[in-house]
Amino acid sequence: EAGVVQSPRYKIIEKKQPVAFWCNPISGHNTLYWYLQNLGQGPELLIRYENEEAVDDSQLPKDRFSAERLKGVDSTLKIQPAELGDSAVYLCASSLGPSKVGYEQFFGPGTRLTVL
Amino acid sequence: AQSVTQLDSHVSVSEGTPVLLRCNYSSSYSPSLFWYVQHPNKGLQLLLKYTSAATLVKGINGFEAEFKKSETSFHLTKPSAHMSDAAEYFCVVSRDNAGNMLTFGGGTRLMVKP
């Protein structure tokens, strides 16, 4: 079974340029997460989708970040314009969905963004 | 609010010796706790999770962790380190009962010397 797929794996851009990251979750996983991981730190949640609905985007900087999950499958995270401080690894994760017990989140390899 | 503190940013052990990665948590209710491992250029992988069942949790690759409520700790251990264990380890607490809202610790880098 294929895991969570992310592309590109690496991206280098000039500041003020736009950038987009793509994520394809594991087939059948209804919940999709985007995380930001700064160097030497643990990941921090940016946004969580249940199917196509963003149910938790409280940590997403909405002035420059946007995300979408059309048709409740693939998702795109966009930054426009990028700033130097956005250099980090952007992780996508997916899980079967919410439950009282809790489903494991499966993580993709991430996209490493460098803003020059 | 829920949070986790990993007490060591780096741990170095020799191959074949025990591993201890320390984690303390803060939670206003009975937490769900996890350990994830991150190998270079690979996705985070779940090692084990505690969800209020047995306090001693066994995970993959010979790792285990013990939930100690009195000490608010969830330390990760392994009897004998292998070279392939070298990686970054994250202690994680869930801010909700469903495991959707994960808060990660700062990570511990485990180095294994031959």
Side-chain angles (χ1 to χ4, degrees), chain A residues 10 33 37 99-100 102 104-105, chain B residues 38 41 43 46 97-100:
Chain A
Y10 304 90
Y33 313 77
Q37 185 175 20
S99 77
K100 293 181 180 179
E104 175 183 350
Q105 294 187 27
Chain B
Q38 187 174 37
N41 297 316
L46 180 66
N97 289 330
N100 286 310

Side-chain angles (χ1 to χ4, degrees), chain A residues 2-115:
Chain A
V4 176
V5 179
Q6 292 187 247
S7 69
R9 292 292 312 276
Y10 304 90
K11 188 73 176 180
I12 301 174
I13 61 172
E14 299 281 338
K15 63 180 180 182
K16 300 184 181 180
Q17 294 300 306
V19 64
F21 315 122
W22 175 79
C23 173
N24 179 237
I26 293 173
S27 178
H29 282 196
N30 298 321
T31 306
L32 184 145
Y33 313 77
W34 282 103
Y35 289 86
L36 165 69
Q37 185 175 20
N38 287 306
L39 185 65
Q41 298 181 23
E44 301 171 16
L45 180 69
L46 288 173
I47 188 168
R48 171 168 64 98
Y49 281 93
E50 297 296 345
N51 298 304
E52 66 274 8
E53 181 183 1
V55 297
D56 182 359
D57 63 355
S58 57
Q59 300 304 310
L60 189 72
K62 299 180 181 63
D63 57 336
R64 297 182 301 107
F65 286 66
S66 65
E68 61 183 11
R69 191 185 184 197
L70 301 176
K71 301 181 181 179
V73 181
D74 295 1
S75 178
T76 303
L77 178 69
K78 298 178 181 178
I79 308 175
Q80 181 171 10
E83 298 178 352
L84 295 176
D86 296 331
S87 295
V89 176
Y90 292 82
L91 298 170
C92 180
S94 70
S95 70
L96 280 169
S99 77
K100 293 181 180 179
V101 174
Y103 287 120
E104 175 183 350
Q105 294 187 27
F106 292 84
F107 285 80
T111 296
R112 181 177 298 276
L113 174 67
T114 301
V115 182

Side-chain angles (χ1 to χ4, degrees), chain B residues 43-89:
Chain B
L44 285 152
Q45 180 183 20
L46 180 66
L47 275 179
L48 50 82
K49 64 180 178 182
Y50 166 78
T51 55
S52 73
T55 56
L56 182 62
V57 182
K58 294 188 183 298
I60 62 172
N61 300 335
F63 284 94
E64 63 181 36
E66 186 171 8
F67 174 74
K68 292 187 176 180
K69 186 175 181 179
S70 61
E71 299 177 8
T72 61
S73 69
F74 191 57
H75 301 335
L76 181 71
T77 61
K78 183 174 181 178
S80 177
H82 191 272
M83 294 297 292
S84 61
D85 294 328
E88 188 88 17
Y89 291 80

